[in-house]
Coordinates of all heavy atoms in Angstrom, one line a residue:
F3 N -277.6 57.4 -4.1 CA -277.5 57.4 -5.6 C -278.4 58.4 -6.3 O -278.0 59.1 -7.2 CB -277.8 55.9 -6.0 CG -277.9 55.8 -7.6 CD1 -276.8 55.9 -8.4 CD2 -279.1 55.6 -8.2 CE1 -277.0 55.8 -9.8 CE2 -279.3 55.5 -9.5 CZ -278.1 55.6 -10.3
L4 N -279.7 58.3 -6.0 CA -280.7 59.0 -6.8 C -280.6 60.5 -6.5 O -281.1 61.4 -7.2 CB -282.0 58.5 -6.6 CG -282.4 57.2 -7.1 CD1 -283.8 56.8 -6.9 CD2 -282.1 57.1 -8.6
N5 N -279.9 60.9 -5.5 CA -279.6 62.3 -5.3 C -278.8 62.9 -6.4 O -278.8 64.1 -6.6 CB -279.0 62.6 -3.9 CG -279.8 62.4 -2.8 OD1 -281.1 62.6 -2.9 ND2 -279.4 62.0 -1.6
Q6 N -278.0 62.1 -7.1 CA -277.2 62.5 -8.1 C -278.1 62.9 -9.4 O -277.7 63.5 -10.3 CB -276.1 61.5 -8.5 CG -275.2 61.2 -7.4 CD -274.2 60.1 -7.8 OE1 -274.2 59.6 -8.8 NE2 -273.3 59.7 -6.8
L7 N -279.3 62.5 -9.3 CA -280.1 62.7 -10.4 C -280.9 64.0 -10.3 O -281.9 64.2 -11.0 CB -281.2 61.5 -10.6 CG -280.6 60.2 -11.0 CD1 -281.7 59.2 -10.9 CD2 -279.9 60.2 -12.3
E8 N -280.4 64.9 -9.4 CA -281.1 66.0 -9.2 C -280.7 67.2 -10.2 O -280.9 68.4 -10.0 CB -280.8 66.6 -7.7 CG -281.5 65.7 -6.7 CD -281.2 66.1 -5.3 OE1 -280.6 67.2 -5.1 OE2 -281.6 65.4 -4.5
M9 N -280.1 66.8 -11.3 CA -279.9 67.6 -12.4 C -281.3 68.1 -12.9 O -282.3 67.4 -12.7 CB -279.1 66.9 -13.5 CG -279.9 65.8 -14.1 SD -279.1 65.0 -15.5 CE -280.0 65.7 -16.8
P10 N -281.3 69.2 -13.5 CA -282.7 69.6 -14.0 C -283.4 68.7 -14.9 O -282.9 68.2 -16.0 CB -282.3 70.9 -14.8 CG -280.9 71.3 -14.3 CD -280.3 70.0 -14.0
H11 N -284.6 68.2 -14.5 CA -285.3 67.2 -15.3 C -285.8 67.8 -16.6 O -286.3 67.1 -17.5 CB -286.3 66.5 -14.4 CG -285.7 65.5 -13.5 ND1 -285.5 65.9 -12.1 CD2 -285.2 64.3 -13.6 CE1 -284.9 64.9 -11.5 NE2 -284.7 64.0 -12.3
E12 N -285.9 69.2 -16.6 CA -286.3 69.8 -17.9 C -285.3 69.5 -19.0 O -285.7 69.7 -20.1 CB -286.7 71.2 -17.6 CG -285.6 72.1 -17.1 CD -285.5 72.1 -15.6 OE1 -286.2 71.5 -14.9 OE2 -284.7 73.0 -15.1
L13 N -284.1 69.3 -18.6 CA -283.1 68.9 -19.6 C -283.1 67.4 -20.2 O -282.8 67.2 -21.2 CB -281.7 69.2 -19.1 CG -281.3 70.7 -18.7 CD1 -279.9 70.8 -18.2 CD2 -281.5 71.5 -19.9
N14 N -283.6 66.6 -19.2 CA -283.7 65.2 -19.5 C -284.8 64.6 -18.7 O -284.6 63.9 -17.7 CB -282.4 64.5 -19.2 CG -282.4 63.0 -19.8 OD1 -283.5 62.6 -20.3 ND2 -281.3 62.4 -19.8
P15 N -286.1 64.7 -19.2 CA -287.2 64.3 -18.4 C -287.2 62.8 -18.3 O -287.8 62.1 -17.4 CB -288.4 64.7 -19.2 CG -287.9 65.1 -20.6 CD -286.4 65.4 -20.4
F16 N -286.5 62.1 -19.2 CA -286.5 60.6 -19.1 C -285.8 60.1 -17.9 O -286.0 59.1 -17.3 CB -285.7 60.0 -20.4 CG -285.7 58.6 -20.4 CD1 -286.8 57.8 -20.7 CD2 -284.5 57.9 -20.3 CE1 -286.8 56.4 -20.7 CE2 -284.5 56.5 -20.3 CZ -285.6 55.8 -20.5
M17 N -284.8 60.9 -17.4 CA -284.1 60.6 -16.2 C -285.1 60.4 -14.9 O -285.0 59.6 -14.1 CB -283.0 61.5 -15.8 CG -281.8 61.4 -16.8 SD -281.1 59.8 -16.9 CE -280.3 59.7 -15.3
G18 N -286.1 61.2 -14.9 CA -287.1 61.2 -13.9 C -287.9 59.8 -14.0 O -288.1 59.1 -13.0
M19 N -288.2 59.4 -15.2 CA -288.9 58.2 -15.4 C -287.9 56.9 -14.9 O -288.4 56.0 -14.3 CB -289.3 57.9 -16.9 CG -290.1 56.8 -17.1 SD -291.7 57.0 -16.3 CE -292.4 55.2 -16.5
R20 N -286.7 57.1 -15.3 CA -285.7 56.0 -14.8 C -285.6 55.9 -13.3 O -285.5 54.9 -12.7 CB -284.4 56.3 -15.6 CG -283.3 55.2 -15.2 CD -282.3 55.0 -16.3 NE -282.9 54.3 -17.3 CZ -282.3 54.3 -18.5 NH1 -281.1 54.8 -18.8 NH2 -282.8 53.7 -19.6
A21 N -285.5 57.1 -12.7 CA -285.4 57.2 -11.2 C -286.7 56.4 -10.6 O -286.6 55.7 -9.8 CB -285.3 58.6 -10.7
I22 N -287.8 56.7 -11.2 CA -289.0 56.1 -10.7 C -289.0 54.6 -10.8 O -289.3 53.8 -9.9 CB -290.4 56.6 -11.3 CG1 -290.5 58.0 -11.0 CG2 -291.6 55.7 -11.0 CD1 -291.6 58.7 -11.9
R23 N -288.4 54.1 -12.0 CA -288.2 52.7 -12.2 C -287.2 52.1 -11.2 O -287.4 51.0 -10.7 CB -287.8 52.5 -13.7 CG -287.7 50.9 -14.0 CD -286.4 50.3 -14.1 NE -285.7 50.8 -15.2 CZ -284.4 50.4 -15.5 NH1 -283.9 49.5 -14.7 NH2 -283.8 51.0 -16.4
F24 N -286.1 52.7 -11.0 CA -285.2 52.2 -10.0 C -285.8 52.1 -8.7 O -285.4 51.2 -7.9 CB -283.9 53.2 -10.0 CG -283.0 53.1 -11.1 CD1 -282.2 54.1 -11.4 CD2 -283.0 52.0 -12.1 CE1 -281.3 54.0 -12.5 CE2 -282.2 51.9 -13.1 CZ -281.3 52.9 -13.4
S25 N -286.6 53.1 -8.3 CA -287.3 53.1 -7.1 C -288.2 51.7 -6.9 O -288.2 51.1 -5.9 CB -288.2 54.3 -6.8 OG -288.7 54.2 -5.5
S26 N -288.8 51.4 -7.9 CA -289.7 50.2 -8.0 C -288.9 49.0 -8.0 O -289.1 48.0 -7.2 CB -290.6 50.3 -9.2 OG -291.2 49.1 -9.4
T27 N -287.9 48.9 -8.9 CA -287.2 47.6 -9.0 C -286.0 47.3 -8.1 O -285.7 46.2 -7.7 CB -286.6 47.5 -10.5 OG1 -285.7 48.6 -10.7 CG2 -287.7 47.5 -11.5
L28 N -285.4 48.5 -7.7 CA -284.1 48.3 -6.8 C -284.4 48.8 -5.4 O -283.4 48.7 -4.5 CB -283.0 49.0 -7.4 CG -282.6 48.5 -8.9 CD1 -281.5 49.4 -9.5 CD2 -282.2 47.0 -8.9
G29 N -285.6 49.4 -5.2 CA -285.8 49.9 -3.9 C -285.1 51.1 -3.5 O -285.2 51.6 -2.4
Y30 N -284.6 51.9 -4.4 CA -284.0 53.1 -4.1 C -284.9 54.1 -3.7 O -286.0 54.2 -4.2 CB -283.2 53.7 -5.3 CG -282.0 52.9 -5.8 CD1 -281.6 53.0 -7.1 CD2 -281.4 52.0 -5.0 CE1 -280.4 52.4 -7.5 CE2 -280.3 51.3 -5.4 CZ -279.7 51.5 -6.7 OH -278.6 50.8 -7.1
E31 N -284.5 54.9 -2.7 CA -285.4 56.0 -2.3 C -285.0 57.3 -3.1 O -283.8 57.7 -3.2 CB -285.1 56.3 -0.8 CG -286.1 57.3 -0.2 CD -285.9 57.4 1.4 OE1 -285.5 56.5 2.0 OE2 -286.2 58.5 1.8
I32 N -286.0 58.0 -3.5 CA -285.8 59.2 -4.3 C -286.0 60.3 -3.3 O -286.9 60.5 -2.5 CB -286.9 59.4 -5.4 CG1 -286.8 58.1 -6.4 CG2 -286.7 60.6 -6.2 CD1 -287.9 58.0 -7.5
S33 N -285.1 61.3 -3.4 CA -285.0 62.4 -2.4 C -286.2 63.3 -2.7 O -286.7 63.4 -3.8 CB -283.6 63.3 -2.6 OG -283.8 64.0 -3.8
E34 N -286.6 64.1 -1.7 CA -287.7 65.1 -1.8 C -287.5 66.0 -3.0 O -288.4 66.3 -3.8 CB -287.9 65.8 -0.6 CG -288.7 64.9 0.5 CD -290.0 64.4 0.0 OE1 -290.8 65.1 -0.6 OE2 -290.3 63.2 0.1
K35 N -286.2 66.6 -3.1 CA -285.9 67.5 -4.1 C -286.2 66.9 -5.5 O -286.7 67.5 -6.5 CB -284.6 68.1 -4.0 CG -284.1 69.2 -4.9 CD -282.8 69.7 -4.6 CE -282.4 70.8 -5.4 NZ -281.0 71.3 -5.2
T36 N -285.7 65.7 -5.7 CA -285.9 65.0 -6.9 C -287.2 64.7 -7.3 O -287.7 64.8 -8.4 CB -284.9 63.7 -7.0 OG1 -283.6 64.0 -6.8 CG2 -285.0 62.9 -8.4
K37 N -288.0 64.2 -6.2 CA -289.5 63.9 -6.4 C -290.2 65.2 -6.9 O -291.0 65.1 -7.8 CB -290.1 63.6 -5.1 CG -289.8 62.1 -4.7 CD -290.5 61.9 -3.4 CE -290.0 60.6 -2.7 NZ -290.6 60.3 -1.4
E38 N -289.9 66.4 -6.3 CA -290.5 67.7 -6.7 C -290.1 67.9 -8.2 O -291.1 68.4 -8.9 CB -290.0 68.7 -5.8 CG -290.6 68.6 -4.4 CD -290.0 69.7 -3.5 OE1 -289.3 70.6 -4.0 OE2 -290.2 69.6 -2.3
S39 N -288.9 67.7 -8.5 CA -288.5 68.0 -9.9 C -289.3 67.1 -10.9 O -289.7 67.4 -12.0 CB -287.0 67.8 -10.1 OG -286.6 68.1 -11.4
I40 N -289.4 65.8 -10.6 CA -290.0 64.8 -11.4 C -291.5 65.2 -11.6 O -292.0 65.1 -12.7 CB -289.9 63.3 -10.9 CG1 -288.4 62.9 -11.0 CG2 -290.8 62.4 -11.6 CD1 -288.1 61.6 -10.1
L41 N -292.1 65.4 -10.5 CA -293.6 65.9 -10.7 C -293.7 67.2 -11.4 O -294.6 67.3 -12.2 CB -294.1 65.9 -9.2 CG -294.3 64.6 -8.4 CD1 -294.6 64.8 -7.0 CD2 -295.3 63.7 -9.2
K42 N -292.9 68.2 -11.0 CA -293.1 69.5 -11.7 C -292.8 69.3 -13.3 O -293.5 70.1 -14.0 CB -292.0 70.4 -11.1 CG -291.9 71.8 -11.7 CD -290.9 72.6 -11.1 CE -290.4 73.7 -12.1 NZ -289.1 74.3 -11.8
N43 N -292.0 68.5 -13.6 CA -291.6 68.3 -15.2 C -292.2 67.2 -15.8 O -291.8 66.8 -16.9 CB -290.0 68.3 -15.1 CG -289.4 69.6 -14.7 OD1 -289.6 70.7 -15.3 ND2 -288.6 69.5 -13.8
R44 N -293.3 66.6 -15.2 CA -293.9 65.4 -15.8 C -294.5 65.6 -17.2 O -294.5 64.8 -18.0 CB -294.9 64.8 -14.9 CG -296.1 65.7 -14.7 CD -297.0 65.2 -13.6 NE -298.2 66.1 -13.3 CZ -298.2 66.9 -12.3 NH1 -297.2 67.0 -11.5 NH2 -299.2 67.7 -12.2
D45 N -294.9 66.9 -17.5 CA -295.4 67.1 -18.8 C -294.4 67.0 -20.0 O -294.7 66.8 -21.0 CB -296.0 68.6 -18.9 CG -297.3 68.7 -18.0 OD1 -298.0 67.6 -17.8 OD2 -297.5 69.8 -17.6
L46 N -293.0 67.1 -19.5 CA -292.0 67.0 -20.4 C -291.8 65.6 -21.0 O -291.2 65.4 -22.0 CB -290.8 67.5 -20.0 CG -290.8 69.1 -19.6 CD1 -289.5 69.5 -18.9 CD2 -291.1 69.9 -20.8
L47 N -292.5 64.7 -20.4 CA -292.4 63.2 -20.9 C -293.0 63.1 -22.2 O -292.6 62.1 -22.9 CB -293.1 62.3 -19.8 CG -292.3 61.9 -18.6 CD1 -293.1 61.2 -17.6 CD2 -291.0 61.2 -19.0
S48 N -293.7 64.0 -22.6 CA -294.3 63.9 -24.0 C -293.3 64.1 -25.0 O -293.5 63.8 -26.2 CB -295.4 65.0 -24.2 OG -294.9 66.3 -24.0
N49 N -292.0 64.6 -24.7 CA -290.9 64.8 -25.6 C -290.1 63.6 -25.7 O -289.2 63.5 -26.5 CB -290.0 65.9 -25.1 CG -290.9 67.3 -25.1 OD1 -291.7 67.5 -25.8 ND2 -290.4 68.2 -24.1
V50 N -290.4 62.5 -24.8 CA -289.7 61.2 -24.9 C -290.4 60.3 -25.8 O -291.7 60.2 -25.7 CB -289.5 60.7 -23.4 CG1 -288.8 59.4 -23.4 CG2 -288.8 61.7 -22.6
S51 N -289.7 59.4 -26.5 CA -290.3 58.5 -27.4 C -291.1 57.5 -26.6 O -290.8 57.1 -25.5 CB -289.3 57.8 -28.3 OG -288.5 56.8 -27.5
A52 N -292.2 57.0 -27.2 CA -293.1 56.1 -26.7 C -292.4 54.8 -26.3 O -292.7 54.1 -25.3 CB -294.3 55.8 -27.5
E53 N -291.4 54.3 -27.2 CA -290.8 53.2 -27.0 C -289.9 53.1 -25.7 O -289.9 52.2 -25.0 CB -289.7 52.9 -28.2 CG -290.5 52.5 -29.6 CD -291.0 53.8 -30.2 OE1 -290.7 54.9 -29.8 OE2 -291.8 53.7 -31.1
R54 N -289.2 54.3 -25.6 CA -288.4 54.4 -24.3 C -289.2 54.4 -23.0 O -288.9 53.9 -22.0 CB -287.5 55.7 -24.3 CG -286.4 55.6 -25.4 CD -285.6 56.8 -25.4 NE -284.7 56.7 -24.3 CZ -283.9 57.7 -23.9 NH1 -283.9 58.9 -24.5 NH2 -283.0 57.5 -22.9
I55 N -290.4 55.2 -23.1 CA -291.3 55.2 -22.0 C -291.9 53.7 -21.7 O -291.9 53.4 -20.6 CB -292.5 56.2 -22.2 CG1 -291.9 57.6 -22.3 CG2 -293.6 56.1 -21.2 CD1 -291.5 58.2 -21.0
S56 N -292.3 53.1 -22.7 CA -292.9 51.8 -22.4 C -292.0 50.8 -21.9 O -292.3 50.0 -21.0 CB -293.5 51.3 -23.8 OG -292.5 50.9 -24.7
V57 N -290.6 50.7 -22.3 CA -289.7 49.9 -21.7 C -289.5 50.2 -20.3 O -289.6 49.3 -19.4 CB -288.3 50.0 -22.5 CG1 -287.2 49.4 -21.7 CG2 -288.5 49.4 -23.8
E58 N -289.4 51.5 -19.8 CA -289.3 51.8 -18.5 C -290.5 51.5 -17.7 O -290.4 51.0 -16.6 CB -289.0 53.3 -18.3 CG -287.6 53.7 -18.8 CD -286.4 53.0 -18.0 OE1 -286.5 52.9 -16.8 OE2 -285.5 52.5 -18.7
L59 N -291.7 51.7 -18.2 CA -292.9 51.4 -17.6 C -293.1 49.9 -17.3 O -293.5 49.4 -16.2 CB -294.1 51.9 -18.4 CG -295.5 51.8 -17.7 CD1 -295.5 52.4 -16.4 CD2 -296.5 52.3 -18.6
I60 N -292.8 49.0 -18.3 CA -292.8 47.6 -18.1 C -291.8 47.1 -17.0 O -292.2 46.4 -16.2 CB -292.6 46.9 -19.5 CG1 -293.8 47.2 -20.5 CG2 -292.3 45.4 -19.2 CD1 -293.4 46.7 -21.9
K61 N -290.6 47.7 -17.0 CA -289.7 47.3 -16.0 C -290.2 47.8 -14.7 O -290.1 47.0 -13.6 CB -288.3 47.9 -16.3 CG -287.7 47.2 -17.5 CD -286.4 47.9 -17.7 CE -285.6 47.3 -18.9 NZ -284.5 47.9 -19.2
L62 N -290.6 49.0 -14.5 CA -291.3 49.5 -13.3 C -292.3 48.7 -12.8 O -292.4 48.3 -11.5 CB -291.9 50.9 -13.5 CG -292.5 51.7 -12.4 CD1 -292.5 53.2 -12.7 CD2 -293.9 51.2 -12.0
L63 N -293.3 48.1 -13.6 CA -294.4 47.3 -13.2 C -293.9 45.9 -12.7 O -294.7 45.3 -11.9 CB -295.4 47.1 -14.4 CG -296.1 48.4 -14.8 CD1 -297.0 48.1 -16.1 CD2 -297.0 48.9 -13.5
C64 N -292.7 45.6 -13.1 CA -292.2 44.2 -12.6 C -291.5 44.3 -11.3 O -291.0 43.4 -10.7 CB -291.3 43.7 -13.6 SG -292.1 43.2 -15.2
G65 N -291.3 45.5 -10.8 CA -290.6 45.8 -9.6 C -291.3 45.3 -8.3 O -292.6 45.4 -8.2
D66 N -290.6 45.1 -7.3 CA -291.1 44.5 -6.0 C -291.9 45.7 -5.3 O -292.8 45.4 -4.5 CB -290.1 44.0 -5.1 CG -289.6 42.6 -5.5 OD1 -290.2 42.0 -6.2 OD2 -288.4 42.4 -5.1
N67 N -291.5 47.0 -5.6 CA -292.2 48.1 -5.0 C -293.1 48.9 -6.0 O -293.4 50.1 -5.7 CB -291.0 49.1 -4.6 CG -290.1 48.4 -3.6 OD1 -290.5 47.8 -2.6 ND2 -288.8 48.5 -3.8
A68 N -293.6 48.2 -7.0 CA -294.4 48.9 -8.0 C -295.6 49.5 -7.4 O -295.9 50.5 -7.8 CB -294.7 47.9 -9.1
T69 N -296.3 48.8 -6.5 CA -297.5 49.5 -6.1 C -297.3 50.7 -5.4 O -297.9 51.8 -5.6 CB -298.3 48.4 -5.1 OG1 -298.6 47.2 -5.7 CG2 -299.5 49.1 -4.5
E70 N -296.3 50.8 -4.5 CA -296.0 52.0 -3.7 C -295.5 53.1 -4.6 O -295.9 54.3 -4.6 CB -294.8 51.7 -2.7 CG -295.3 50.8 -1.6 CD -295.1 49.3 -1.9 OE1 -294.7 49.0 -3.0 OE2 -295.6 48.5 -1.1
V71 N -294.7 52.8 -5.7 CA -294.2 53.7 -6.6 C -295.4 54.2 -7.5 O -295.5 55.5 -7.8 CB -293.0 53.2 -7.5 CG1 -292.8 54.1 -8.6 CG2 -291.9 52.8 -6.6
L72 N -296.3 53.4 -7.9 CA -297.4 53.8 -8.7 C -298.4 54.8 -7.9 O -298.8 55.8 -8.5 CB -298.2 52.7 -9.2 CG -297.6 51.8 -10.3 CD1 -298.6 50.5 -10.4 CD2 -297.4 52.5 -11.6
I73 N -298.5 54.5 -6.7 CA -299.3 55.5 -5.9 C -298.5 56.8 -5.7 O -299.2 57.9 -6.0 CB -299.7 54.7 -4.5 CG1 -300.5 53.6 -4.7 CG2 -300.2 55.8 -3.5 CD1 -300.7 52.8 -3.5
E74 N -297.3 56.7 -5.4 CA -296.6 57.9 -5.1 C -296.3 58.8 -6.3 O -296.5 60.0 -6.2 CB -295.2 57.5 -4.5 CG -294.3 58.7 -4.1 CD -293.0 58.3 -3.4 OE1 -292.8 57.2 -3.4 OE2 -292.4 59.3 -2.8
F75 N -296.2 58.2 -7.5 CA -296.1 59.0 -8.7 C -297.1 58.8 -9.6 O -297.1 58.9 -10.8 CB -294.7 58.5 -9.4 CG -293.5 59.0 -8.5 CD1 -292.9 58.1 -7.7 CD2 -293.0 60.3 -8.8 CE1 -291.8 58.4 -7.0 CE2 -291.8 60.7 -8.0 CZ -291.3 59.7 -7.1
R76 N -298.4 58.8 -9.1 CA -299.5 58.6 -10.0 C -299.8 59.8 -11.0 O -300.2 59.5 -12.1 CB -300.8 58.4 -9.2 CG -301.3 59.4 -8.3 CD -302.6 59.1 -7.5 NE -302.6 59.8 -6.4 CZ -302.4 59.5 -5.1 NH1 -301.9 58.3 -5.0 NH2 -302.4 60.4 -4.1
D77 N -299.4 60.9 -10.6 CA -299.5 62.1 -11.5 C -298.6 61.9 -12.7 O -298.9 62.3 -13.8 CB -299.3 63.4 -10.7 CG -300.3 63.7 -9.7 OD1 -301.3 63.1 -9.9 OD2 -300.0 64.4 -8.9
V78 N -297.4 61.4 -12.5 CA -296.4 61.1 -13.6 C -297.0 59.9 -14.5 O -297.0 60.1 -15.7 CB -295.0 60.7 -13.1 CG1 -294.2 60.4 -14.2 CG2 -294.5 61.8 -12.2
I79 N -297.5 58.8 -13.9 CA -298.1 57.7 -14.6 C -299.2 58.1 -15.4 O -299.5 57.7 -16.5 CB -298.4 56.6 -13.7 CG1 -297.1 56.2 -12.9 CG2 -298.9 55.4 -14.5 CD1 -295.9 55.6 -13.7
A80 N -300.0 59.0 -14.9 CA -301.2 59.5 -15.5 C -300.9 60.3 -16.9 O -301.8 60.3 -17.7 CB -302.1 60.5 -14.7
K81 N -299.7 60.9 -16.9 CA -299.2 61.6 -18.1 C -299.0 60.5 -19.3 O -299.1 60.8 -20.4 CB -298.0 62.3 -17.9 CG -298.3 63.5 -17.1 CD -299.2 64.5 -17.8 CE -299.6 65.7 -17.0 NZ -300.5 66.5 -17.6
I82 N -298.6 59.3 -18.8 CA -298.4 58.2 -19.8 C -299.6 57.4 -20.1 O -299.8 57.1 -21.3 CB -297.3 57.2 -19.1 CG1 -296.0 58.0 -18.8 CG2 -297.1 56.1 -20.1 CD1 -295.0 57.2 -17.9
I83 N -300.4 57.2 -19.0 CA -301.7 56.3 -19.3 C -302.8 57.1 -18.5 O -303.1 56.9 -17.4 CB -301.5 55.0 -18.7 CG1 -300.3 54.2 -19.1 CG2 -302.8 54.2 -18.9 CD1 -300.0 52.9 -18.5
P84 N -303.3 58.2 -19.3 CA -304.3 58.9 -18.5 C -305.6 58.2 -17.9 O -306.1 58.7 -16.9 CB -304.8 59.9 -19.7 CG -303.8 59.9 -20.7 CD -303.1 58.5 -20.6
A85 N -306.0 57.1 -18.5 CA -307.1 56.4 -18.0 C -306.9 55.7 -16.7 O -307.8 55.4 -16.0 CB -307.5 55.5 -19.1
I86 N -305.6 55.6 -16.3 CA -305.3 54.9 -15.1 C -305.4 55.7 -13.8 O -305.5 55.2 -12.7 CB -303.9 54.2 -15.2 CG1 -303.7 53.0 -14.2 CG2 -302.8 55.3 -14.9 CD1 -302.6 52.2 -14.5
T87 N -305.6 57.0 -14.1 CA -305.6 58.0 -12.9 C -306.6 57.6 -11.8 O -306.3 57.5 -10.7 CB -305.8 59.4 -13.4 OG1 -305.0 59.8 -14.4 CG2 -305.8 60.3 -12.3
S88 N -307.8 57.2 -12.2 CA -308.8 56.9 -11.2 C -308.6 55.5 -10.6 O -309.2 55.2 -9.5 CB -310.3 57.0 -11.8 OG -310.3 56.0 -12.9
E89 N -307.8 54.7 -11.2 CA -307.5 53.3 -10.7 C -306.5 53.3 -9.7 O -306.3 52.3 -8.9 CB -307.2 52.4 -11.9 CG -308.2 52.4 -12.9 CD -309.7 51.9 -12.4 OE1 -309.5 50.9 -11.6 OE2 -310.6 52.3 -12.8
I90 N -305.6 54.2 -9.6 CA -304.4 54.2 -8.7 C -304.8 55.0 -7.5 O -305.0 56.3 -7.6 CB -303.1 54.9 -9.3 CG1 -302.8 54.1 -10.5 CG2 -302.0 54.9 -8.3 CD1 -301.5 54.7 -11.3
Q91 N -304.9 54.4 -6.4 CA -305.3 55.1 -5.1 C -304.5 54.7 -3.9 O -304.1 53.7 -3.9 CB -306.7 54.9 -4.8 CG -307.7 55.5 -5.8 CD -309.1 55.4 -5.7 OE1 -309.5 55.5 -4.4 NE2 -309.8 55.3 -6.6

């Protein structure tokens, strides 16, 4: 499923955040190519409204795989919550 999200995340950086949430809540595996795109384009999340980001982040944190996803995508999460960088290891 998430391989279909390999569209350029620079066109829709929110899709990367949604993919991370699906990985946390539904256990979907994100392909390497998609991971690279999400990480590469993480700065573009600043173009997404805070409300949309906060909804996805809250859902991500409620997922069964939240810890693993937070660790794997800590550089993306740090763009949303910079102070958390040193706490995620």
Side-chain angles (χ1 to χ4, degrees):
F3 167 74
L4 292 182
N5 287 333
Q6 294 175 8
L7 295 177
E8 290 177 8
M9 63 178 260
H11 288 100
E12 56 272 6
L13 297 178
N14 189 350
F16 183 70
M17 291 303 292
M19 188 65 193
R20 182 155 285 168
I22 293 170
R23 191 253 295 179
F24 287 160
S25 182
S26 173
T27 58
L28 302 174
Y30 291 162
E31 186 174 332
I32 300 174
S33 73
E34 282 303 315
K35 186 175 179 180
T36 302
K37 285 179 195 177
E38 289 171 14
S39 180
I40 291 168
L41 291 169
K42 176 182 158 198
N43 295 297
R44 66 186 176 266
D45 291 334
L46 297 176
L47 283 171
S48 62
N49 299 329
V50 178
S51 74
E53 293 81 10
R54 290 183 78 190
I55 294 289
S56 65
V57 167
E58 291 300 314
L59 185 60
I60 290 167
K61 290 177 181 180
L62 181 158
L63 293 172
C64 293
D66 289 340
N67 302 310
T69 302
E70 294 84 3
V71 170
L72 287 173
I73 291 168
E74 185 171 8
F75 290 96
R76 65 180 157 264
D77 293 338
V78 176
I79 303 303
K81 290 296 174 184
I82 301 165
I83 309 171
I86 204 166
T87 304
S88 62
E89 302 300 320
I90 300 175
Q91 298 182 28

